[in-house]
Amino acid sequence: MADYRLLGISGSLRAASYNTLLLHEAARLFNPAEFMLGNLRLPLFDEDLEAAHGIPEPVQRLADQILAADAVVIAGPEYNKSITGVLKNALDWVSRTKANPWADKPVAIVSATAGRAGGELTQTALRLCLVPFRPRIVPGPEVLVGQAQAQFDPDGRLNNDINREALAGLMTALKAEIGH
């Protein structure tokens, strides 16, 4: 039986996403935990849609997953020096749900990118986007997987000791944050 419920949110919808691989690696290192992946295939945020039909069911499901999780790991690539549109859209939609599921929630942020910096700017932008929701963002160690195409083995595991050790340290810090 899993000790914790860990939610992974990938800011990439790509089937072979390095960020989704990174989330699975995070869950493996966080273990034991019931791991679930949030679905960001949501309609574009539109107040007219909300007024006419209420909160879309997939949005409410994501909000409920956040609320039910003991901790959340968010992974995202860097698109044009910031977070992806699908991740921002999800944050905007979830902010419209009745409860604030992010309030006091332990959250870890990781990123994997094709570039050298590994997503440093996307992590900074994501932290700014999360501030109004008041989660407890674990400050580090930072997990910035640059040149991601060369950082995973054929089984989807991190093959770089520096990245693996940083991710293990972040998952230990995230687990310690639960219940504080």
Side-chain angles (χ1 to χ4, degrees), residues 89-105:
N89 185 56
L91 294 173
D92 290 342
W93 263 123
V94 169
S95 76
R96 307 293 290 190
T97 61
K98 294 248 186 260
N100 174 8
W102 294 109
D104 208 35
K105 184 73 57 181

Side-chain angles (χ1 to χ4, degrees), residues 123-173:
Q123 288 196 23
T124 299
L126 180 55
R127 280 176 167 73
L128 289 174
C129 288
L130 288 169
V131 165
F133 309 134
R134 299 179 323 276
R136 292 193 330 263
I137 301 172
V138 177
E142 289 183 314
V143 178
L144 302 159
V145 180
Q147 300 176 338
Q149 62 279 10
Q151 303 304 317
F152 293 91
D153 68 20
D155 295 322
R157 306 278 299 274
L158 282 170
N159 61 18
N160 176 302
D161 288 340
I162 293 170
N163 289 330
R164 192 173 38 253
E165 289 169 14
L167 185 57
L170 184 62
M171 291 304 96
T172 298

Side-chain angles (χ1 to χ4, degrees), residues 32-91:
E34 173 190 338
F35 179 66
M36 57 200 144
L37 252 161
N39 180 6
L40 299 193
R41 292 185 187 279
L42 308 172
L44 289 176
F45 176 72
D46 178 347
E47 281 190 64
D48 292 337
L49 175 67
E50 180 186 9
H53 305 287
I55 299 293
E57 191 276 327
V59 172
Q60 189 61 56
R61 184 178 326 116
L62 179 62
D64 291 345
Q65 286 178 313
I66 295 166
L67 191 60
D70 294 301
V72 179
V73 181
I74 304 173
E78 189 169 297
Y79 285 9
N80 300 309
K81 310 250 182 232
S82 192
I83 65 174
T84 63
V86 295
L87 184 52
K88 180 65 167 86
N89 185 56
L91 294 173

